[in-house]
Amino acid sequence: MILITGATGLVGFHLMQLLSKEATPIRALYRLEAKKDHIKNLFKAQNQLHIFKQIDWFQADLLDIPSLELAFQDITQVYHCAALVSFEPKDHIALYKNNIVGTANVVNLCLAFGVEKLCHVSSIAALGNGTEHQLCITEETERNNELHYSDYSISKYGAELEVWRGYQEGLPIVIVNPGVIFGSGFKNSGSSLFFTKIKKGLPFYTKGKIGIVAVEDVVQTMYLLMNSPISGERFILVAENPTYHQLFCILAKAFNVHPPKWHASKVLTAVIWRLDWIFSTLFFTRRKLTKAAAQSLHNEEFYSSQKIKSTIPFEFSPMESYLTKLAQDFK
């Protein structure tokens, strides 16, 4: 049986669709009934309610070891997709618990129950850093821990360390590091917020680069890696590295709205994140732009997916046509 953590998220949902084509039964972990109901509605909307009913739905929390132990009964493979994604500094404790401690619990139970292989969904946020003379980031690029990172980045890096620990203790593993994942079904969260902002009319843009990928490509590579002899490797999953301006123009064209026209410089975004900090401190609101996020908007680094392409091999979906179709569905 295959276990999927984070089954009610974007990657988890599309992964279940893919794995349902195989004969191996699926056990899907979820925490909240509301999120499970959302997934049920997604399957129903695509005339796939029979797939939802075939899945063994199991309510558990990654921090609740007794419930996890029950979930790991008879499991042969684990796809660890669950993670807290937040760039709010106030969430640093929750990020540590969910992403690092939660992953450690998954790894420990994989070892205890003799799981044959674990696929861990990490992020490009956990990768190393480019330099002035080497902007291309690969799986081997070193991480400069003296730089300023978001708490999310730190938590995903820490989660990877737990997976590597499991590998050293004998657990076969593969790690994937996707860029920003686009996909259907989750209009009010994640990358779909780009669609919302552009549709409403976003006036500003930056010239920094962003690594992007389609969710179907992410789950397909995960499946291929898990059903191969490959172990002890990590793979960047980035289809393209457009600038934010290029990405916004693609989406604006798809929505038939005006693209952003004002360039936001580093100075401007530095002022905005400081004002946002003052406002959130005074009025106890959540941050809209943090220091790390502001810096990332001007990032000139780009990510190479050459390793996954030469290993499987695999070709990613062209993102402009994919995003255009996604925007049409979003409308």
Side-chain angles (χ1 to χ4, degrees):
M1 179 175 281
I2 296 172
L3 177 67
I4 301 175
T5 72
T8 56
L10 175 65
V11 174
F13 168 64
H14 287 271
L15 180 61
M16 286 186 291
Q17 284 188 308
L18 176 63
L19 295 180
S20 66
K21 300 174 183 177
E22 303 295 320
T24 307
I26 300 170
R27 178 172 294 155
L29 292 193
Y30 72 99
R31 289 192 308 114
L32 303 175
E33 288 290 343
K35 290 191 173 183
K36 178 186 172 185
D37 290 341
H38 175 66
I39 297 298
K40 181 178 181 180
N41 291 333
L42 290 180
F43 276 115
K44 185 176 181 180
Q46 299 182 23
N47 295 318
Q48 296 177 334
L49 193 57
H50 62 284
I51 295 177
F52 177 87
K53 294 179 179 179
Q54 289 171 358
I55 294 171
D56 178 20
W57 290 93
F58 195 101
Q59 190 169 20
D61 191 304
L62 294 185
L63 301 178
D64 181 8
I65 295 179
S67 65
L68 274 184
E69 288 179 330
L70 295 175
F72 268 79
Q73 299 289 335
D74 303 318
I75 296 299
T76 56
Q77 289 186 343
V78 175
Y79 288 87
H80 181 35
C81 308
L84 174 62
V85 180
S86 173
F87 298 95
E88 168 62 63
K90 295 176 184 178
D91 290 338
H92 67 281
I93 295 178
L95 285 164
Y96 168 77
K97 287 182 177 179
N98 284 274
N99 295 349
I100 300 179
V101 177
T103 300
N105 291 340
V106 169
V107 168
N108 291 339
L109 289 175
C110 283
L111 290 166
F113 282 85
V115 169
E116 295 174 3
K117 199 169 186 179
L118 165 69
C119 177
H120 172 63
V121 182
S122 185
S123 166
I124 55 173
L127 295 171
N129 315 93
T131 64
E132 180 181 355
H133 304 291
Q134 180 54 267
L135 294 175
C136 180
I137 296 178
T138 70
E139 291 82 357
E140 306 303 322
T141 302
E142 293 185 2
R143 186 177 171 94
N144 182 355
N145 289 317
E146 294 182 0
L147 297 179
H148 177 77
Y149 294 98
S150 67
D151 292 307
Y152 173 70
S153 172
I154 294 170
S155 71
K156 294 302 288 185
Y157 177 68
E160 279 197 22
L161 293 180
E162 293 294 338
V163 177
W164 287 119
R165 171 184 62 81
Y167 176 65
Q168 292 174 344
E169 295 180 22
L171 174 65
I173 63 101
V174 287
I175 298 175
V176 293
N177 296 84
V180 176
I181 305 173
F182 285 88
S184 61
F186 296 79
K187 291 187 175 182
N188 300 313
S189 62
S191 60
S192 291
L193 296 179
F194 283 109
F195 293 83
T196 303
K197 291 181 182 296
I198 293 297
K199 189 178 180 182
K200 290 181 178 179
L202 185 66
F204 296 100
Y205 69 89
T206 64
K207 296 180 180 179
K209 292 185 176 180
I210 175 174
I212 59 177
V213 65
V215 67
E216 290 86 355
D217 290 346
V218 173
V219 299
Q220 180 67 27
T221 52
M222 290 166 61
Y223 171 77
L224 292 173
L225 288 170
M226 283 291 276
N227 290 278
S228 75
I230 298 169
S231 180
E233 299 284 350
R234 72 200 303 211
F235 297 89
I236 294 174
L237 304 183
V238 170
E240 297 173 14
N241 293 271
T243 63
Y244 282 94
H245 187 224
Q246 291 170 332
L247 174 62
F248 294 165
C249 285
I250 291 172
L251 298 181
K253 182 179 179 181
F255 284 120
N256 196 27
V257 298
H258 293 294
K261 58 184 296 187
W262 305 105
H263 174 235
S265 66
K266 291 182 180 180
V267 173
L268 178 59
T269 54
V271 170
I272 293 175
W273 78 254
R274 286 173 169 85
L275 291 175
D276 181 62
W277 174 80
I278 294 173
F279 186 87
S280 66
T281 302
L282 292 176
F283 297 99
F284 304 100
T285 59
R286 291 184 68 82
R287 297 289 300 276
K288 293 181 174 61
L289 184 67
T290 63
K291 179 180 179 180
Q295 291 176 342
S296 70
L297 293 174
H298 304 279
N299 187 11
E300 296 182 353
E301 299 168 345
F302 59 94
Y303 301 90
S304 171
S305 293
Q306 187 56 46
K307 181 177 179 180
I308 190 68
K309 290 178 182 178
S310 59
T311 300
I312 294 182
F314 185 83
E315 289 297 330
F316 291 94
S317 304
M319 290 306 295
E320 181 171 356
S321 58
Y322 180 83
L323 291 171
T324 299
K325 183 181 184 305
L326 208 57
Q328 296 299 322
D329 294 340
F330 188 88
K331 288 193 294 186

